[in-house]
Amino acid sequence: MNQFLSQDYDLTAHNTFGLAAHSQFARTIVDEAEIPSLFALADQQGLPVRMLGEGSNVILSERFDGITALIATRGRELIVGDNGDLILDAQAGENWHALVAHTVGEGLWGLENLAGIPGTVGAAPVQNIGAYGVELSDRFVSLRAYDRVAGAFVELDGPACRFAYRHSLFKEHRGRYVVARVRLRLSRSAKPELSYRDLSALAAPDHPSVVMDRVLQLRAAKIPDWRGLGNAGSFFHNPVVPAAIGAAFMAAHPTAPAYAQADGAIKLSAGWLIEQAGLKGYRDGPVGVSAQHALVLVNHGGASCTDVLGLAEHVVTTVHDRFGIRLQREPELL
Ligand SMILES: Cc1cc2nc3c(=O)[nH]c(=O)nc-3n(C[C@H](O)[C@H](O)[C@H](O)COP(=O)(O)OP(=O)(O)OC[C@H]3O[C@@H](n4cnc5c(N)ncnc54)[C@H](O)[C@@H]3O)c2cc1C
């Protein structure tokens, strides 16, 4: 077992928050064929298994008694689909942004709005990543995953993945599926998605790099770079409240951002709520609320999972006391 697994593995460099964290055992997966044997070993030893990509959407606990599977499979392929569409087939351990930049460099449209999102390809369907008016599900064809319950690899299409806003089947059955490869639909003809207000000024871009460059500019201005100041991006979901609550909220706060949803519910801005509650730039020891973007919690250095959870609770309580709205956390506690 010692040859197959690394022991007492330090994960501090494996999470963008930079939280101090150790795993009892770790295994770097470089070939999907290793996944079934890893679960067989774990079952034999009675150890839990958790998956980790680049650790950009997790709050790692200080100690995990089990096996952390570090997904590092590499490879990508462009296939011409039945109707002439281009299908990109990428392995789970590929870096998401590198993949986007590669397709944009080839002049292919489809992923440019999703540039700059940290993490791996395999984790992208888990929370149905989204930004600047596009979600992964908009470009999704299918994926291959190892189903721990079936004990076999399965192919899942969009409906089977149950995608919704920052949600998928994989959040409903945590730990059951290991995403091994993802297929996405791209296009050689210009299909810019510019509905997001900060992109509308681009008019008619003639290359996806125009959109990608603008997205990267906007992201750099908004979100602190985790390589300098540890963070997990947006820490809270934008709350979606029933129409009546939304109407009362908007009457009381006419300048607050509010977006009507198809079902009549209203989506509010978690960042605005935190800022108005007076917490932008707030600091509590090694952790704080970013002074750049109130939706981002940051590690000023040496923080642990306990510090982050304590700050998150303070933010949730303060916003609830002020507005009566309870924020929900986005990163998973692993
Ligand atoms: C600065 C910053 C900006 C961000 N901006 C955005 C944004 O604009 N939009 C957005 O949607 N998200 C954003 N995020 C969140 C994050 O980048 C995404 O959720 C990303 O997809 C996580 O990838 P990861 O490889 O780091 O996953 P991890 O954090 O390692 O894992 C996330 C979850 O996926 C599971 N998982 C990982 N790999 C697999 C696999 N192969 N199979 C099954 N489960 C797996 C893990 O167990 C965990 O539950 C941002 C994060 C940061 C730090």
Side-chain angles (χ1 to χ4, degrees):
M1 173 148 132
N2 286 355
Q3 286 172 330
F4 193 72
L5 299 173
S6 308
Q7 282 196 54
D8 195 26
Y9 196 86
D10 187 349
L11 292 169
T12 312
H14 286 268
N15 69 106
T16 60
F17 240 131
L19 303 178
H22 277 79
S23 183
Q24 184 185 10
F25 298 107
R27 167 78 184 181
T28 302
I29 303 288
V30 294
D31 184 331
E32 66 175 40
E34 297 166 48
I35 299 169
S37 47
L38 178 69
F39 282 119
L41 176 70
D43 288 344
Q44 198 184 45
Q45 303 290 329
L47 291 167
V49 180
R50 65 179 183 181
M51 270 65 74
L52 194 64
E54 293 181 8
S56 65
N57 207 23
V58 290
I59 307 161
L60 289 185
S61 51
E62 280 150 67
R63 168 98 194 154
F64 177 66
D65 290 320
I67 305 170
T68 301
L70 301 160
I71 309 296
T73 50
R74 300 274 191 271
R76 59 179 181 232
E77 198 184 349
L78 201 56
I79 307 159
V80 180
D82 296 344
N83 53 4
D85 272 5
L86 291 170
I87 309 293
L88 175 69
D89 182 321
Q91 297 210 37
E94 286 283 324
N95 174 267
W96 174 260
H97 173 70
L99 187 75
V100 173
H102 172 75
T103 61
V104 167
E106 296 288 309
L108 299 172
W109 294 82
L111 305 182
E112 57 281 0
N113 296 51
L114 300 173
I117 301 180
T120 53
V121 166
V126 173
Q127 82 146 358
N128 184 23
I129 56 168
Y132 296 95
V134 175
E135 290 186 336
L136 181 91
S137 53
D138 298 324
R139 307 291 181 252
F140 184 82
V141 178
S142 64
L143 62 74
R144 174 174 164 85
Y146 182 73
D147 178 351
R148 197 177 177 178
V149 173
F153 283 93
V154 292
E155 295 289 331
L156 301 174
D157 62 9
C161 290
R162 298 175 47 79
F163 290 124
Y165 170 68
R166 302 292 186 271
H167 184 79
S168 71
L169 170 78
F170 314 105
K171 284 197 170 181
E172 293 171 18
H173 300 275
R174 290 206 183 268
R176 172 169 172 178
Y177 298 96
V178 184
V179 177
R181 47 204 315 151
V182 178
R183 288 174 211 102
L184 303 165
R185 180 168 286 107
L186 304 178
S187 170
R188 283 205 192 281
S189 39
K191 289 186 178 166
E193 168 50 62
L194 306 173
S195 58
Y196 191 86
R197 67 182 183 286
D198 290 341
L199 297 181
S200 53
L202 290 178
D206 59 357
H207 195 277
S209 62
V210 177
V211 181
M212 180 174 86
D213 291 348
R214 180 77 185 121
V215 164
L216 292 176
Q217 238 177 23
L218 290 165
R219 294 185 70 92
K222 272 191 195 162
I223 308 171
D225 188 341
W226 60 269
R227 283 159 288 233
L229 192 58
N231 71 79
S234 304
F235 196 89
F236 297 101
H237 291 294
N238 286 322
V240 179
V241 297
I245 295 178
F249 179 86
M250 284 153 68
H253 308 284
T255 59
Y259 310 93
Q261 304 297 288
D263 61 358
I266 308 284
K267 190 194 272 186
L268 304 174
S269 160
W272 186 92
L273 294 167
I274 297 167
E275 189 167 345
Q276 295 301 309
L279 290 171
K280 192 174 181 182
Y282 171 84
R283 183 160 177 174
D284 181 10
V287 287
V289 177
S290 165
Q292 195 178 341
H293 194 332
L295 195 49
V296 179
L297 302 192
V298 295
N299 174 7
H300 289 286
S304 69
C305 160
T306 312
D307 298 316
V308 173
L309 294 179
L311 174 64
E313 186 51 36
H314 177 68
V315 172
V316 170
T317 308
T318 308
V319 167
H320 186 259
D321 290 350
R322 171 92 163 77
F323 296 106
I325 291 169
R326 191 160 287 282
L327 297 176
Q328 303 292 334
R329 191 176 70 214
E330 183 179 303
E332 185 190 352
L333 178 61
L334 262 193

